[in-house]
Amino acid sequence: RRSSDLPVIGPTGNPYNSRDYTTLTTVTQLFAQDNISLMNEKMTLALGLKTPQIKRDFTERANEGQSVVTGSVNSTAPMSYNVVNNYSKLLPSVGVSYKLSPKETVFASVAQNFKAPPNFATASNNIKFVNNVPQFQSIAPETSTNIDIGYRVAEEDLVWSATWFMVDFKNRQANAYDPTTAVSTYTNVGGVKNQGLELELGTKPKNGWSFYGSLSIQDSVIQDNLQSAATTTLATSGKQFPLAPKYMSGLSAQYEQGPFTAQLRGKYTSKVYSTLMNDDFVSGYTVFDLYAGYKLESGPLMKNPVIKFNVSNLFNREYMSPTGSSNTYSATSTRYYIGAPRMTSISLQADF
């Protein structure tokens, strides 16, 4: 029997259990939308309204892996507990588009969005226990106002568009590291304003060839300082929000002739900060992927069969990207994913 098959034995003599919790999320939503044509169908008005209802039910059972801040010499851990939270929000949206000419369209939209705190926000590593009573911090749902204004042109051989966007976040959620308690907790970091420009250009197929390119430029700025502890305030106002690269671009070239299709895709991601204090970052990187496919003739057992050949990270580029943790101090708590190396696969897809 391999040693890797054997459980890790804890101090009690029983198998070590590093995590033992159950999460249950129930989501219901009512949605209504109406499109109205005006001015001889030159203008289209889209009105929408949705009402998401989210219930989060989190149960953690006592386990050796619990990491808790006791807050009292009379506290003990591990322990079991259950917490249920309900979130809801009325979210309207308005969009309008107007045809300047058969080829040109201007458009704009305003929409409200929100994000409920995740289930793991109530895990033991994110709360404090006082006299065996879990002290849950009040994490408010993240809300945002999204505004888009754009211009689109559809020529005979190509389509291109330019869109300015602005997202005004309130109660933005992130992981914040408390240097006093040496604990990273999921919390609200205040307001964040994200605005920028998106450019897209694509050609229509000609002699089997088509091309597509995109560029996104964004500036994501934290609006408030973060109070990480009762007596500690971090100067995060004016910093870039983590995990939000300033530049992203993509290019693709596709060739299709008869049953054969091939595509080469490239994506560039610029430098991205990994902490709320912007004291650590990962450098930009470019990754290419290659795809080829060949459609076979349908038979009695398979319909529309396609042989697919994929190579991801074609040039075996080494890179890192931050995890979903937007921690405050990089030297103590930030984690990174190592980019996957080149991978090649061949597959068969078919309908039956």
Side-chain angles (χ1 to χ4, degrees):
R1 189 177 184 182
R2 297 179 302 174
S3 59
S4 60
D5 294 332
L6 299 175
V8 176
I9 304 302
T12 63
N14 296 318
Y16 180 84
N17 191 352
S18 64
R19 186 174 66 178
D20 188 5
Y21 60 71
T22 301
T23 64
L24 178 63
T25 298
T26 304
V27 180
T28 59
Q29 179 172 274
L30 296 176
F31 177 76
Q33 180 173 316
D34 189 24
N35 293 328
I36 303 171
S37 296
L38 303 169
M39 302 175 65
N40 295 323
E41 298 187 347
K42 284 188 174 182
M43 177 180 290
T44 300
L45 181 65
L47 304 175
L49 184 67
K50 56 185 178 180
T51 58
Q53 312 281 329
I54 300 175
K55 178 182 178 181
R56 299 214 189 273
D57 188 336
F58 181 92
T59 300
E60 179 157 357
R61 292 166 287 275
N63 61 86
E64 295 92 333
Q66 281 183 329
S67 173
V68 300
V69 181
T70 61
S72 170
V73 295
N74 298 319
S75 297
T76 59
M79 65 174 294
S80 300
Y81 64 93
N82 170 261
V83 60
V84 178
N85 289 317
N86 292 279
Y87 307 95
S88 63
K89 184 74 173 176
L90 190 66
L91 304 174
S93 63
V94 178
V96 60
S97 64
Y98 181 77
K99 294 182 179 180
L100 299 174
S101 70
K103 297 180 179 180
E104 300 171 286
T105 303
V106 292
F107 56 90
S109 66
V110 180
Q112 293 283 324
N113 283 301
F114 101 122
K115 173 185 176 183
N119 277 323
F120 64 77
T122 50
S124 58
N125 61 349
N126 201 59
I127 62 176
K128 181 167 63 177
F129 287 75
V130 177
N131 295 324
N132 286 339
V133 178
Q135 308 296 306
F136 299 104
Q137 62 171 328
S138 178
I139 303 178
E142 175 184 293
T143 62
S144 65
T145 301
N146 300 44
I147 300 175
D148 295 302
I149 301 174
Y151 175 69
R152 184 186 301 114
V153 177
E155 301 283 357
E156 182 178 350
D157 295 326
L158 61 86
V159 177
W160 67 271
S161 66
T163 305
W164 173 85
F165 63 88
M166 191 276 289
V167 185
D168 189 10
F169 290 96
K170 304 296 183 185
N171 297 315
R172 190 78 193 266
Q173 299 171 15
N175 278 329
Y177 179 78
D178 186 343
T180 303
T181 62
V183 173
S184 179
T185 58
Y186 197 82
T187 187
N188 296 115
V189 299
V192 174
K193 183 168 289 187
N194 186 16
Q195 57 183 330
L197 181 67
E198 291 183 345
L199 303 174
E200 290 184 283
L201 186 148
T203 65
K204 297 180 180 180
K206 188 173 184 179
N207 297 324
W209 288 96
S210 61
F211 301 89
Y212 173 81
S214 66
L215 172 65
S216 176
I217 306 170
Q218 66 171 339
D219 190 35
S220 186
V221 181
I222 302 173
Q223 304 296 303
D224 305 296
N225 290 327
L226 173 65
Q227 185 172 352
S228 62
T231 59
T232 305
T233 300
L234 300 172
T236 53
S237 178
K239 304 289 187 182
Q240 292 289 310
F241 190 79
L243 314 182
K246 190 175 185 65
Y247 302 103
M248 289 190 298
S249 62
L251 289 172
S252 70
Q254 180 170 310
Y255 178 76
E256 183 171 358
Q257 191 68 41
F260 176 75
T261 301
Q263 185 182 63
L264 178 65
R265 300 184 298 266
K267 181 181 178 181
Y268 168 74
T269 302
S270 71
K271 178 181 80 171
V272 59
Y273 288 105
S274 52
T275 68
L276 292 168
M277 288 293 289
N278 293 177
D279 53 4
D280 198 17
F281 65 89
V282 293
S283 301
Y285 60 91
T286 302
V287 175
F288 287 90
D289 300 324
L290 177 66
Y291 163 80
Y294 191 87
K295 297 179 181 179
L296 304 175
E297 293 185 3
S298 298
L301 299 179
M302 295 185 298
K303 296 180 180 179
N304 305 314
V306 180
I307 295 178
K308 296 183 176 182
F309 174 74
N310 286 281
V311 183
S312 59
N313 197 357
L314 180 63
F315 300 109
N316 207 27
R317 178 75 159 85
E318 294 183 354
Y319 65 96
M320 293 193 307
S321 59
T323 67
S325 300
S326 310
N327 297 297
T328 312
Y329 283 83
S330 59
T332 55
S333 55
T334 302
R335 294 180 175 89
Y336 298 89
Y337 291 120
I338 297 177
R342 179 171 53 232
M343 183 180 72
T344 303
S345 66
I346 299 177
S347 61
L348 173 64
Q349 175 183 307
D351 299 326
F352 296 93

